[in-house]
Amino acid sequence: MTEQIERSLVIVKPDGYRRGLTGEVLRRIEAKGYTVVELAVRTPDRERLAQHYAEHEGKPFYEPLVEFMSSGPATFAVIEGHGCIAGFRALAGATNPTEAAPGSIRGDLGRDWGLKVQQNIVHGSDSAESAAREIGIWFPES
Ligand code: DAT
Ligand code: MG
């Protein structure tokens, strides 16, 4: 059991937004029992994406990733609940949608499109440190 109430940054990426999957992703988050405490639709700018994805700078998929993520509107949410960081990662499924288990967001709704970067519908913070950093980037006022 996690004692501390956690927060995680979730993004419905531009592919998910374009496909009208924002509601489906938020439905799964709420059905699981987590609370949505911040919500915004915006087209991510390259500057903040560079901060957000700093760990991937220099990798072959980095440029395609920033290009894809800035290609249109995305839905940004901060969710809250005990264990929600690992919990949402489990709801999202594996990074590669071909390998993501059926039942997960990426497993049920995503597929490989043969592109330089995987378009896998959602982002979720991977640790408490990442969550604090990412929430600071996208919701600095929170
Ligand atoms: P995750 O989003 O599951 O935390 P990540 O942080 O390692 O995965 O990578 C960020 C995004 O970059 C990921 O959602 C999809 C894309 N990506 C990661 N590894 C990739 C790869 N080897 N080839 C293509 N795209 C990749
Ligand atoms: Mg990641």
Side-chain angles (χ1 to χ4, degrees):
M1 191 187 80
T2 327
E3 277 184 33
Q4 195 104 14
I5 296 186
E6 288 182 342
R7 287 187 167 196
S8 181
L9 181 83
V10 170
I11 308 173
V12 181
K13 297 180 180 185
D15 59 330
Y17 182 89
R18 266 194 289 274
R19 289 177 54 199
L21 295 174
T22 295
E24 173 64 16
V25 171
L26 295 177
R27 187 194 66 74
R28 289 177 184 225
I29 289 167
E30 292 192 320
K32 178 77 175 170
Y34 301 136
T35 308
V36 177
V37 295
E38 300 277 358
L39 191 61
V41 175
R42 39 171 108 118
T43 300
D45 56 283
R46 294 185 65 99
E47 192 185 322
R48 281 192 285 184
L49 284 170
Q51 289 177 49
H52 178 91
Y53 281 125
E55 64 171 312
H56 296 307
E57 207 189 329
K59 295 181 185 171
F61 60 85
Y62 176 77
E63 251 316 303
L65 176 61
V66 172
E67 201 59 38
F68 159 58
M69 288 297 294
S70 58
S71 67
T75 304
F76 289 75
V78 178
I79 66 168
E80 192 174 87
H82 295 282
C84 74
I85 294 171
F88 180 76
R89 299 278 293 184
L91 288 182
T95 303
N96 180 341
T98 302
E99 291 164 9
S104 67
I105 293 167
R106 290 162 170 173
D108 286 349
L109 309 171
R111 53 162 284 191
D112 188 345
W113 297 95
L115 304 170
K116 286 183 181 148
V117 67
Q118 292 288 0
Q119 300 195 351
N120 56 12
I121 305 170
V122 286
H123 166 83
S125 306
D126 63 10
S127 66
E129 295 68 34
S130 301
R133 194 177 65 79
E134 293 170 1
I135 291 167
I137 294 170
W138 300 106
F139 292 98
E141 71 285 0
S142 74

